[in-house]
Structure formats: structure tokens, C-alpha cells
Amino acid sequence: QVQLVESGGGSVQAGGSLRLSCAASGDSISYYPMGWFRRAPGKEREFVSAIDSDGSTSYADSVKSRFTISQDRAKNTLYLQMESLKPEDTAMYYCAADSSILRLWRGGASRWGQGTQVTVSS
């Protein structure tokens, strides 16, 4: 089973950028649809972005054109490049993996990382 460890979170001002990483071990990420979710204080966890095993990508409307998901299969790592950050992007960000892209989109992934905090100040 794949294990996931996120990194790259931090505190930035509005308009800034961050790149999150999700290092996988135990299995190759090429076998799994993978994605990013976030949970803001007092809110439900929400879908941010996903990349299927064929390389196709999907984004929440709130981050489309600002965030880019990618993966480096040689490094077995998933990334989320975040640009033009807004205070409303403040949340704990989680990496997830599952054998089903539908289950991933619905938030029912079988594997989750521990999360990395992103804080955007105005």
C-alpha cells in the first residue's frame, strides 16, 4: 500500500505562491489516481485537484487557472503549484490516492497523507 507524506506548506501573503509536494512510498504513483484536498477551519474537507493515471487533470472551480497539479513518476512525487494565493485558500492540504478516480473525487480515497498547512494573509 502506498504511503503519502506532504510538505511545502507555509505562510505567504496574498498574491504569493507555494508548491506542495506529496512523496509516495511503498508503491508507484503511476498506478493510482491521486489528488489534493483541503480543509479550512470550521469547514468540510473539499476537493482541490486530481490527476488520473492517464495524466488527465481536474480542478475545483475555485482554484482553476491558479493551481496546477503534476507528478514526477521518477521521483514518485505529486505536486501542487499554487499561484495568486488568496486568504480563502488558507487550509490544511492533504494528498490522497486511490485506485478509483471516482472514489477519489468523492473524497473516499483509501490513502491519505497527514497534511501540510497553508496560511495566506491579506
Side-chain angles (χ1 to χ4, degrees):
Q1 291 246 7
V2 66
Q3 289 83 48
L4 306 172
V5 178
E6 302 95 332
S7 62
S11 296
V12 296
Q13 291 194 323
S17 303
L18 281 173
R19 187 177 79 158
L20 305 184
S21 299
C22 173
S25 60
D27 208 348
S28 171
I29 64 172
S30 61
Y31 299 141
Y32 297 90
M34 297 187 71
W36 291 95
F37 289 75
R38 65 187 183 187
R39 188 195 301 271
K43 294 188 176 181
E44 298 284 324
R45 184 177 61 198
E46 64 175 358
F47 169 78
V48 174
S49 181
I51 184 165
D52 206 343
S53 51
D54 65 359
S56 57
T57 59
S58 52
Y59 297 91
D61 288 343
S62 59
V63 306
K64 205 171 290 185
S65 79
R66 298 189 299 121
F67 291 9
T68 303
I69 191 170
S70 64
Q71 60 184 196
D72 185 330
R73 294 184 174 182
K75 294 183 178 179
N76 220 32
T77 300
L78 179 74
Y79 300 102
L80 186 68
Q81 180 68 42
M82 305 186 295
E83 307 283 351
S84 302
L85 283 161
K86 304 175 181 180
E88 51 264 44
D89 294 318
T90 295
M92 184 72 79
Y93 282 72
Y94 298 90
C95 173
D98 197 90
S99 58
S100 165
I101 187 66
L102 291 179
R103 201 155 47 223
L104 185 71
W105 281 334
R106 293 169 183 165
S110 57
R111 308 301 296 177
W112 293 87
Q114 83 290 347
T116 186
Q117 177 68 38
V118 172
T119 302
V120 185
S121 58
S122 57

